[in-house]
Amino acid sequence: MSRWKARIGLRTRLVLAFLLVAAVSAGTTASLAYRKARNTILEQAQDTAVSSFRDRVQELSTPLPVEPLSLREQLLQLARQSKPHPWVVFAEYGSIRVSSGTQPVSTVITPELRRAALASPRGIFQRVDKDGEPWLTIAVPTVFHDGKASRPTGLVLYAVMRLADEEANIRAMVTAARDGAVPGLAISLVPALLAARSVLRPVRDLRKAARSMGSGRLDTRIQAKGRDELADLARTFNESAVELEHTVGELREAEARARRFASDVSHELRTPLTGMLAVTEVLDEDATQLAPDTAAAVRLISAETDRLAVLVEDLMEISRFDARAAELNPDEVDVAQTIRKTLTSRHWTDPAQVVTDLPDGIRARLDPRRFDIVIANLVGNALRHGGAPVVVRLRTETYGDGAPGTTRATVATSVNGAARLVTEVADSGPGIPEDVLPHIFERFYKADAARTRSAGSGLGLAITLENVRLHGGTVRAANGAQGGAVFTVEIPLVAGERTV
């Protein structure tokens, strides 16, 4: 049933329901009318026949003992006076059986009627179906009047009458009702469609409004007409839309204020930090000439200042992404050479730290600065939170190829295309807990809630995600089959950009 409902629309179900109600109503009315008309037609015929036959029997004078020939003449006379249809009259007296027809005994007369006739001085009747034809049988016993009382003589007269004409009239009435039902249902289809349209119009308006709100137009409203349930639904939708628009507006304002605050703070801190960095550089150069405790304090201040500078730069970068002000400046580069430059500039060239698998000849259009940030963040994150050696692999794939050696992964975005540039960064650490994987790219997320500080800014993976998205690619985190975390960056390659 549920599958059937899913295959047809609400309009069709409403129309079918309306037609079903109309058909049931018409059928019920026709059935009641048929029963009433049938009983009326049959009762009219039987009342006329019973009354006429009883009167004729009462006027009949039959001498006793019964003479069969004389009795037959009387039965023929009764048959000639039959109405509303011809009768066949039968008489039974003891073992004597006489009729106005060719057969002395009728198979239509039932034993029940014979027994009831002897106990009913005024007569009795019965409708019988014989071989599919309706018959009316009337039984009237003759009585002897002695001036004080009436006594049965033992002679019982029966009238047998076919009800073929009445049955034909009833069948004609049924045929007429059946023939009129089909046009009636066809005519009822018009109000059914009109009713379905009036019901579905608010539903369609509600669907359009919901789609409009889903596309971001929170000022969408529905015109509510009337005071029925659908009008109440429209008003409820409008009230909910007002509350949603107000809530979303407040959230957007709060988000915009937070972004402006982070951006403003970053910009305000940038100038004094520049001076502090210059001072800490001078202090670092003279640290060897200072007392040990003073030198340690100077180095701590220098390290914290550097960390604060990195945090400010990352906050400014995230602010540009949030404001959609980040721009991609692509250039055709040798991807392997670009990765080597990233590792060299950060002194990650020791094979004990970083192992590379970078085939030459793979060229792609990338933003060199942003791709450098992606590789640096992933490798730095692997060295800090994973374990050495960190393996950096580069290859190209077509979509549909499986990434080997990974288990469950968290995919940050999805892309469409024919080929992709794949960069993997795998560490030798314990891997990422399963409950942490869905949140690994969130800002300032800490896998260990007890750890209040980390060596990084807490924004590295979030910035990596945004830079990969800016290239139209994906980045995902997973656990390798042999242990350790595996970060995979996939960037689509358009035709003509891949050279091997």
Side-chain angles (χ1 to χ4, degrees), residues 116-187:
L118 296 176
S120 177
R122 290 188 53 81
I124 193 170
F125 66 90
Q126 184 180 36
R127 286 203 299 265
V128 180
D129 286 331
K130 183 69 175 180
D131 298 330
E133 293 187 7
W135 295 80
L136 175 66
T137 57
I138 309 169
V140 178
T142 61
V143 295
F144 174 74
H145 299 280
D146 59 357
K148 294 182 179 180
S150 298
R151 291 178 295 174
T153 63
L155 173 65
V156 181
L157 301 182
Y158 299 92
V160 178
M161 182 181 73
R162 294 181 61 185
L163 297 176
D165 292 343
E166 285 74 13
E167 188 66 22
N169 291 336
I170 293 172
R171 290 178 179 175
M173 181 178 62
V174 172
T175 302
R178 181 189 62 199
D179 294 341
V182 175
L185 287 177
I187 294 174

Side-chain angles (χ1 to χ4, degrees), residues 206-259:
L206 182 62
R207 180 184 61 187
K208 292 179 181 178
R211 287 181 176 176
S212 179
M213 291 190 66
S215 63
R217 296 181 57 186
L218 300 181
D219 58 343
T220 303
R221 300 293 183 270
I222 302 176
Q223 185 177 3
K225 297 180 181 179
R227 296 182 177 276
D228 55 8
E229 290 80 0
L230 293 175
D232 292 340
L233 177 61
R235 282 188 283 269
T236 302
F237 177 86
N238 291 337
E239 293 171 359
S240 301
V242 171
E243 292 296 327
L244 180 61
E245 184 180 16
H246 177 69
T247 302
V248 172
E250 289 182 344
L251 291 176
R252 287 175 175 173
E253 290 179 0
E255 183 180 7
R257 286 195 300 268
R259 288 175 178 174

